Amino acid sequence: MRGSIMIVDDEPLIRKGLTKLIESNDLGWVVAGEAGNGREAIHKLAQVKPDLIISDIRMPIMDGLELANYMWEHCSHTMVIILTGYRDFEYAQAAVRYGVKEFLLKPCPEDDICRVLRQAYTQFQEKSEYQEKERRALRVREDHAVRAALLRLPPLAGGEVLRTEELLEGHVFWLARVDTFLPEGKEYRPEDGPLLQFAVVNIIEELLEASSSLERWITVEYGRFAFFMEPASDHVRFFHELCETVQRLLGISLTTLSLGLVSSAEDVSSMYRRHELEAPASMFTLTGSPLAFGREADEITVSGTDAAVTTAPGTIDETKVRTVQAEITSFLLLGRHAELSAFLRQRFWEDLHASMPQCRADALCLALAIREVLRKEIAATQDDWDIGTEIQKLRLMVSREEVGEWVMERIAVMEQTLASWLEERNSRLAERTIRYIEQHYEQECNLVSVASQMHLNPNYFSNLFKKQTGESFTSYLTRFRIDKAKMLLTNTDMKISEIAEAVGYTDSNYFATAFKQVVSKPPTEYRKMHQLNK
């Protein structure tokens, strides 16, 4: 994940120079906006939403120190780096009390700027990871609170009881239950339960992404899951698709049941208990997985008509899949495709000291993470990969070497898929980039952000675009914007500043300079000449 930067300086050339430096180095940052002074920066905060601000100390209207003070009071989550001259250094030091992370003494060597930005990105990344962990921890606490309400257990400390009311009221309560992990026609064994459960979790989460109506699901008791849906949504369609997909991929059947509209946390408990007393066990024939497995369950009890056993499985950690998925995505976004396979091989082989159940679980985690990235990032489907069949292959493996070979096969498939995708994408890079410029030229549309959209390293993207078009990306974008500005100058009475903004320039002075470089005349003179010839 890249961080966003706003550059604040009253000199356009300084802003341009910093932007070019950031775009031409892999520092983890994208320039999301610019401003000529502190007040302008504040006005743009809601639009740009920067993770980091680089600000000059001396500017008209509102200087860097005042901006740092404002950010400390109103947006303390945004980091600030101050640019200062030698004679202002002691003055700039006052900004320490406003949480300023670093000072850069002008003139700043490129190496110093890169070093500071890399350090800032490390802090940003650590902070983002911490926030994500906090978000997941909150979700787990909320799930426990909902479960406590359903089962009439003592509430957990931390204020989740009040939150539970907000989560449940006004939603339609659906219930589902696992019947067996040992369906006819499949050679599953009781110890395969954890792998099957985790496979179902991923199927469910894929379907949830496409369903804006689903608010929350939890494991109530082993094999029983509660879903809370928005009243206006098409519940039947969602659960039909869920049952069909799990049956098709795993050979496991599911049945679901609606218990009605929830009016309170106590109401949902009564609904659940009433169903437990009235409904025969045969009402459920749904075989799936505890949906929150890996987040809460330490032990799996596989129960059904043919077996009732308890297994101590290898831990399949949902968080681990998300972590690996994020790592793979990061390699793609930074254009480091060539390094990805080696990274994944090393990551897996480092865990081979684990027990065989854990080794199988780790292999499935890695394979599912690869599958998710290919599906989400490059829209690649793996129709030939049947999860149920692959799980059966894994469960029959008795050595770590066999599991390792299976993982290498999944990595090889990923390599082939990426290679085909890269070849097709790169062959049409100029076409796709030009189309993107046509749709976004009026916005921040710099080299790094567009290269990120194309999943390429900025330097590689820039070279490939020039090779295919004979023109640099920056030159093409400037010319395209100036052509749009000519049309506005010719056919409208808009102010120069309004035209500048309309074609993607936040600074009208910089726009005028760029216009003159391309047309050999300033925009005001161009307009006058056109009016004279009209």
Side-chain angles (χ1 to χ4, degrees), residues 48 75 96 186 206 264 279 317 350 393 404 451 482 484 499:
V48 177
C75 304
V96 170
K186 292 288 184 180
E206 285 186 21
S264 68
D317 187 0
E350 284 176 351
K393 289 181 184 178
I482 297 306
K484 293 292 182 181
I499 291 175

Side-chain angles (χ1 to χ4, degrees), residues 5 17-18 20-29 52 54 81 102 104 108-122:
I5 288 182
L18 282 171
K20 185 176 181 180
L21 184 150
I22 293 168
E23 289 177 347
S24 58
N25 290 275
D26 290 328
L27 304 172
W29 298 101
L52 170 66
I54 301 178
I81 293 173
E102 188 66 73
L104 285 169
C108 312
E110 182 174 323
D111 289 346
D112 286 354
I113 297 175
C114 290
R115 173 185 56 79
V116 168
L117 288 178
R118 287 193 179 98
Q119 291 174 349
Y121 182 73
T122 299

Side-chain angles (χ1 to χ4, degrees), residues 234-490:
D234 190 347
H235 312 150
V236 175
R237 177 180 297 180
F238 172 81
F239 285 106
H240 174 77
E241 185 177 6
L242 172 61
C243 294
E244 189 277 332
T245 304
V246 172
Q247 175 66 50
R248 174 169 52 84
L249 295 179
L250 298 176
I252 293 175
S253 59
L254 300 176
T255 301
T256 55
L257 180 69
S258 174
L259 301 184
L261 190 68
V262 177
S263 59
S264 68
E266 185 173 344
D267 182 33
V268 79
S269 175
S270 300
M271 294 163 71
Y272 181 70
R273 286 302 168 194
R274 184 168 61 249
H275 168 75
E276 288 293 287
L277 293 172
E278 295 175 358
S282 60
M283 179 169 290
F284 287 93
T285 45
L286 100 160
T287 350
S289 71
L291 305 185
F293 179 76
R295 207 164 47 199
E296 303 158 41
D298 296 319
E299 188 175 81
I300 301 303
T301 304
V302 180
S303 58
T305 55
D306 302 319
V309 297
T310 299
T311 65
T315 303
I316 303 179
D317 187 0
E318 177 186 347
T319 302
K320 184 171 184 177
V321 176
R322 301 293 163 257
T323 300
V324 177
Q325 194 174 321
E327 289 170 343
I328 297 173
T329 301
S330 177
F331 273 84
L332 294 181
L333 290 177
L334 294 175
R336 298 166 60 190
H337 311 99
E339 305 171 40
L340 180 54
S341 297
F343 167 78
L344 291 177
R345 289 188 177 95
Q346 180 181 359
R347 199 185 204 293
F348 177 74
W349 288 105
E350 284 176 351
D351 294 334
L352 280 185
H353 62 277
S355 65
M356 275 303 297
Q358 188 62 54
C359 187
R360 295 189 192 100
D362 290 341
L364 185 62
C365 284
L366 182 59
L368 288 171
I370 290 173
R371 180 173 179 269
E372 279 296 281
V373 172
L374 294 181
R375 183 180 69 85
K376 289 182 179 179
E377 297 300 328
I378 66 175
T381 58
Q382 294 176 282
D383 297 331
D384 61 327
W385 194 54
D386 183 297
I387 298 177
T389 301
E390 296 302 324
I391 288 175
Q392 289 195 62
K393 289 181 184 178
L394 274 175
R395 72 176 180 78
L396 295 174
M397 295 176 187
V398 296
S399 70
R400 292 170 177 78
E401 288 70 23
E402 287 182 283
V403 177
E405 289 178 8
W406 183 87
V407 168
M408 295 307 108
E409 289 177 6
R410 303 318 313 161
I411 293 176
V413 170
M414 179 200 70
E415 288 176 328
Q416 294 170 5
T417 305
L418 280 177
S420 299
W421 174 67
L422 286 169
E423 183 178 356
E424 179 184 359
R425 185 199 58 186
N426 291 350
S427 66
R428 298 183 294 107
L429 175 73
E431 174 189 337
R432 292 170 58 240
T433 301
I434 290 170
R435 186 165 61 248
Y436 184 87
I437 289 173
E438 290 172 349
Q439 296 171 351
H440 300 88
Y441 71 91
E442 74 280 6
Q443 305 167 10
E444 289 289 338
C445 193
N446 55 54
L447 176 64
V448 170
S449 63
V450 178
S452 177
Q453 290 291 329
M454 306 298 160
H455 297 282
L456 288 175
N457 173 281
N459 290 332
Y460 179 76
F461 166 77
S462 178
N463 293 334
L464 193 57
F465 183 87
K466 186 169 185 178
K467 182 179 179 181
Q468 294 182 6
T469 65
E471 186 176 12
S472 72
F473 169 82
T474 303
S475 175
Y476 182 91
L477 175 62
T478 299
R479 184 167 55 79
F480 185 90
R481 284 172 162 170
I482 297 306
D483 286 344
K484 293 292 182 181
K486 287 180 182 179
M487 294 175 62
L488 294 174
L489 288 166
T490 301

Side-chain angles (χ1 to χ4, degrees), residues 494-511:
M494 293 172 63
K495 296 178 180 178
I496 301 299
S497 59
E498 293 173 338
I499 291 175
E501 185 174 353
V503 298
Y505 289 91
T506 57
D507 187 310
S508 58
N509 292 327
Y510 183 61
F511 162 71

Side-chain angles (χ1 to χ4, degrees), residues 29-41:
W29 298 101
V30 173
V31 178
E34 300 178 8
N37 57 67
R39 184 175 298 175
E40 184 183 348

